[in-house]
Amino acid sequence: MTDASSYALLGKIRTPEELRELPREELPALAIELRRYLIETLARVGGHFAANLGTVELTLALHTVFNTPEDRLVWDVGHQAYPHKALTGRRMQLESIRKHGGLHPFPSRSESIYDTFGTGHSSTSLSAAMGMAVAAKLQKADRRIVAIIGDGGITAGMAFEALNHIGSLGLDVLVVYNDNDMSISENVGALRNHSARIVHKSKTRIPTAQGDMETDRPEHWQLANRVIDENSSADVHDGAFFESLGFSYYGLFDGHDLPGLIDTLEHVKTKRGPVVLHVATIKGKGFEPAEQEPIKYHGVTGFDPVTGSMASKKPSSAKTYTQVFSDWLCAYAEIDPRMVGITPAMREGSGLVSFSKRFPDRYFDAAIAEQHAVTLGAGMAADGLKPVVAIYSTFLQRGYDQLIHDVALQNLPVVFALDRGGLVGADGATHHGSFDLSFLRCVPNMVVMAPSDENECQRMLTTGMEHDGPSAIRYPRGFGPGSEVRFKDGAIALGKARVLRECKGRRRPRIAILAFGAMVAPALEAADIIDAAVVDMRFIKPLDENLIMEMADEHDLLVTVEDNVIQGGAGSAVNELIISRHESIPVLNLGLPDHFVEHGSREELLEELGLDGSGILRRIQKRLRAKDLDAANASANQIS
């Protein structure tokens, strides 16, 4: 635990009300303590790091100037909300963030009245803030609404839609545009170039309370300036974009000059109508390793708080599913020049770093714009390319209409590589890939696959690439069971499952477990104890109907296991088949429950939900006991 006594000022602050009672001249010292607290705490427990260091002064200024929680602060994404949590009564709980039963990884309405809107996916803050501004207007409430959004989050179409609507109605919304030229990776896009031009135009001289001051910028900002040097043409008024949408524009201001920020916020607080306050911050501010490598320090598991060095991982021959995808992508690109790779701002997380370096002309970062990424792939496929859209399962939800209307309806050969399928762990409910099997299998023309190991993953990716239509391969976060990857194995026949284990004895009841994707390994664990057959189903759509019916004919109970919600999932597909064939064999569906699953390690959550090996065994045995009881009751009724 961090020694609270070493934080003379921070130790006094339990609420923003107490912060506002602090003399203004003590706030810069408080910022130093808060930043040090974050560094020392997250060095031990991990979490989102660099983004939070970048918003220390901004958070202090916002809570100082505005009467929170009556005035509403709406944070975008939430990667940068740890200082906010620390100042709103949760500092001593920060050790537990992202852990099972601990603080939510992002702002959560159920956790604090200061968290006015739940976040986790980006680019929602402006729409939510507008809704709150409408509510304040209709309720005749005298409160201010402030949305804090970064230059990464503002690239999404949803943010532009909200800006357009807010401006058209002239609502009282303050948009704090936190510009650090970073998303998780380097930010991309025309608006990013415009922001970089603003910084470059003043040769990195940013207004502060003490006047213009030369500000050291990290290497990625310097690179942005060089790019603008080469490409800039006409001088554009700094706020022209926002002013064209009906906003008053104030900027560019140093986001680490706390007295200047407070003075500026006090000024714009009096302004009515839509206002944009443009501030420049440094991701990782105050910790040099994070300033220089903000991508590396975006999310950490632990590091030396003095040197920044991270514990080296032991060499391992095992690969994560993301690494398997990365290797496959580059290998297949070598043999098929039609392949292109698309990511919505998740180059590192989705495994496209190597591809982007080896095939830069075939790599496309669409920024935080999932809808655009999907239809971009559709357009490419329409003219003969073979696009692979690498996207987290939870983020594909944002491009669902485009998947249906632009890809599947036209039967275009777009491959969706869905990382983080199932339970992801510490990022919690906003990031679990809990619904993809349900929302994908109902779409005509889609082929949906889930690998049980690393080699199956690369084979399914090849299967999708060679299929003349849309396909999705969903795989979990982290490591598989350690299977050797053999690229020569090639594609899998569409809809073909495989039996991994057969019942070895003759005892009744005979059980067959139909397992999907990552659930094959724990299903095998349970099957060894109860002598059950295990089928690696491979395909959610099309199902191996003949094999399922064989299992139904030869066994007394079918058990489906998936790490997707039970409603409408893979087990539901099996149920539908059984009913359509007029079979009466009992089926037990195991999967995720009908509620949002909170954060914790993947292993903790699977155990809690009964989807590890012992949990699957326990739930099957419970079903068998219930079946025996039903049979006994039926027999007793016949005798009576």
Side-chain angles (χ1 to χ4, degrees):
M1 293 287 290
T2 302
D3 182 8
S5 65
S6 66
Y7 298 97
L9 293 173
L10 187 60
K12 298 177 182 178
I13 307 301
R14 293 182 298 275
T15 66
E17 289 83 356
E18 292 175 335
L19 170 66
R20 290 189 280 272
E21 293 173 0
L22 203 66
R24 293 280 176 95
E25 61 269 19
E26 294 187 7
L27 291 178
L30 176 60
I32 293 172
E33 289 189 11
L34 178 54
R35 182 169 278 111
R36 179 160 57 90
Y37 178 77
L38 292 172
I39 293 170
E40 293 178 354
T41 302
L42 298 179
R44 288 193 310 279
V45 305
H48 292 112
F49 181 62
N52 286 293
L53 295 187
T55 58
V56 168
E57 289 82 7
L58 180 58
T59 305
L60 283 167
L62 287 166
H63 278 296
T64 297
V65 172
F66 291 95
N67 182 33
T68 54
E70 178 59 25
D71 289 335
R72 311 294 201 237
L73 300 184
V74 185
W75 298 93
D76 205 83
V77 187
H79 291 152
Q80 75 284 46
Y82 292 14
H84 163 79
K85 286 178 182 271
L87 294 171
T88 53
R90 291 167 280 179
R91 179 172 62 85
M92 299 306 292
Q93 297 170 268
L94 200 61
E95 301 262 353
S96 71
I97 199 159
R98 293 163 55 89
K99 292 182 172 56
H100 196 220
L103 283 184
H104 285 262
F106 306 105
S108 169
R109 284 171 55 85
S110 64
E111 186 176 278
S112 171
I113 59 173
Y114 294 94
D115 294 356
T116 61
F117 199 78
T119 60
H121 288 188
S122 80
S123 317
T124 62
S125 60
L126 302 183
S127 298
M130 178 182 172
M132 294 175 183
V134 170
K137 182 177 180 179
L138 294 178
Q139 295 163 2
K140 295 181 171 54
D142 184 20
R143 57 175 175 260
R144 298 313 309 268
I145 314 297
V146 184
I148 305 97
I149 188 168
D151 54 304
I154 210 167
T155 60
M158 184 176 180
F160 288 104
E161 292 166 14
L163 286 171
N164 179 63
H165 202 183
I166 293 168
S168 70
L169 297 183
L171 292 168
D172 292 338
V173 176
L174 170 60
V175 177
V176 177
Y177 179 25
N178 176 28
D179 194 344
N180 60 19
D181 200 39
M182 293 293 298
S183 182
I184 293 177
S185 304
E186 295 93 347
N187 201 16
V188 299
L191 187 56
R192 168 262 182 190
N193 292 344
H194 175 66
S195 295
R197 184 179 294 112
I198 294 173
V199 174
H200 177 63
K201 191 172 68 172
S202 59
K203 294 183 169 49
T204 72
R205 300 182 68 85
I206 299 174
T208 72
Q210 292 75 36
D212 282 358
M213 178 182 71
E214 192 74 24
T215 304
D216 292 331
R217 309 301 296 176
E219 184 179 350
H220 59 274
W221 263 110
Q222 296 167 19
L223 175 61
N225 292 336
R226 289 198 295 271
V227 172
I228 296 306
D229 254 341
E230 297 167 2
N231 297 296
S232 59
S233 53
D235 187 22
V236 178
H237 173 54
D238 294 354
F241 169 74
F242 295 106
E243 290 176 355
S244 70
L245 294 173
F247 284 76
S248 299
Y249 174 85
Y250 296 85
L252 178 71
F253 293 93
D254 183 352
H256 301 297
D257 171 28
L258 185 52
L261 272 179
I262 290 174
D263 290 345
T264 302
L265 284 169
E266 292 281 16
H267 176 69
V268 298
K269 180 181 179 181
T270 65
K271 302 299 179 182
R272 293 297 170 180
V275 175
V276 168
L277 174 63
H278 190 177
V279 301
T281 60
I282 299 173
K283 192 171 182 178
K285 173 69 175 176
F287 192 66
E288 185 175 356
E291 288 189 29
Q292 297 305 319
E293 296 186 88
I295 297 173
K296 178 180 178 181
Y297 286 90
H298 173 76
V300 296
T301 55
F303 58 92
D304 186 311
V306 177
T307 67
S309 63
M310 298 182 182
S312 58
K313 296 180 180 179
K314 294 181 180 180
S316 172
S317 58
K319 293 184 176 183
T320 65
Y321 281 102
T322 305
Q323 289 170 321
V324 171
F325 166 72
S326 178
D327 292 345
W328 170 85
L329 191 69
C330 291
Y332 206 97
E334 291 281 2
I335 63 174
D336 192 339
R338 299 173 299 166
M339 173 190 273
V340 289
I342 302 170
T343 177
M346 292 301 296
R347 181 185 64 190
E348 282 75 20
S350 292
L352 278 85
V353 174
S354 295
F355 182 84
S356 69
K357 293 177 179 178
R358 291 178 58 182
F359 306 95
D361 293 340
R362 294 155 64 184
Y363 165 75
F364 298 88
D365 186 339
I368 301 177
E370 292 86 359
Q371 296 170 336
H372 165 57
V374 173
T375 304
L376 171 64
M380 291 174 170
D383 266 1
L385 297 181
K386 298 284 284 187
V388 178
V389 179
I391 186 170
Y392 286 8
S393 168
T394 185
F395 296 144
L396 182 59
Q397 294 165 187
R398 310 186 83 172
Y400 189 51
D401 179 66
Q402 288 69 29
L403 181 143
I404 294 173
H405 184 271
D406 299 335
V407 177
L409 181 62
Q410 303 183 92
N411 201 28
L412 291 170
V414 179
V415 176
F416 293 92
L418 300 190
D419 206 330
R420 272 61 167 181
L423 299 172
V424 299
D427 280 340
T430 60
H431 282 58
H432 292 319
S434 305
F435 311 105
D436 51 19
L437 300 187
S438 299
F439 72 66
L440 287 173
R441 79 172 189 88
C442 65
V443 179
N445 293 330
M446 284 296 301
V447 170
V448 186
M449 298 169 266
S452 58
D453 62 39
E454 300 89 335
N455 194 51
E456 285 286 293
C457 184
Q458 67 87 18
R459 292 191 70 190
M460 288 179 181
L461 288 162
T462 298
T463 304
M465 202 64 179
E466 295 181 1
H467 174 59
D468 189 22
S471 60
I473 302 90
R474 70 94 85 162
Y475 43 90
R477 182 177 189 174
F479 294 92
S483 299
E484 178 188 0
V485 177
R486 301 179 300 274
F487 287 104
K488 63 182 180 181
D489 285 357
I492 301 169
L494 282 184
K496 187 64 176 177
R498 57 175 182 165
V499 178
L500 298 182
R501 188 187 191 282
E502 296 180 344
C503 295
K504 298 177 181 178
R506 295 177 176 270
R507 69 178 185 181
R508 295 283 186 173
R510 290 169 60 84
I511 303 164
I513 304 176
L514 311 181
F516 295 84
M519 293 294 96
V520 168
L524 285 168
E525 292 179 26
D528 284 339
I529 297 174
I530 56 174
D531 188 25
V534 176
V535 179
D536 176 2
M537 290 301 300
R538 288 175 160 170
F539 291 83
I540 294 84
K541 185 178 183 178
L543 287 173
D544 191 334
E545 297 184 357
N546 291 335
L547 183 56
I548 292 173
M549 297 316 301
E550 287 179 20
M551 293 293 117
D553 290 342
E554 297 171 3
H555 297 81
D556 304 301
L557 173 66
L558 296 184
V559 180
T560 67
V561 190
E562 62 192 295
D563 54 348
N564 182 85
V565 291
I566 293 175
Q567 287 82 354
S572 293
V574 173
N575 297 346
E576 292 160 12
L577 173 65
I578 297 295
I579 292 171
S580 71
R581 298 292 180 90
H582 305 289
E583 293 286 339
S584 59
I585 182 172
V587 181
L588 171 62
N589 298 134
L590 303 181
L592 300 182
D594 186 24
H595 63 75
F596 290 102
V597 178
E598 295 297 340
H599 50 285
S601 72
R602 180 175 165 85
E603 293 73 24
E604 287 172 328
L605 297 177
L606 288 173
E607 180 181 3
E608 180 181 276
L609 299 173
L611 291 175
D612 59 347
S614 60
I616 292 171
L617 174 63
R618 186 170 58 251
R619 295 169 77 179
I620 292 174
Q621 290 173 331
K622 180 180 179 181
R623 175 59 179 264
L624 294 177
R625 287 194 297 271
K627 185 178 179 182
D628 290 343
L629 180 61
D630 289 343
N633 289 337
S635 178
N637 289 335
Q638 288 177 353
I639 293 173
S640 63

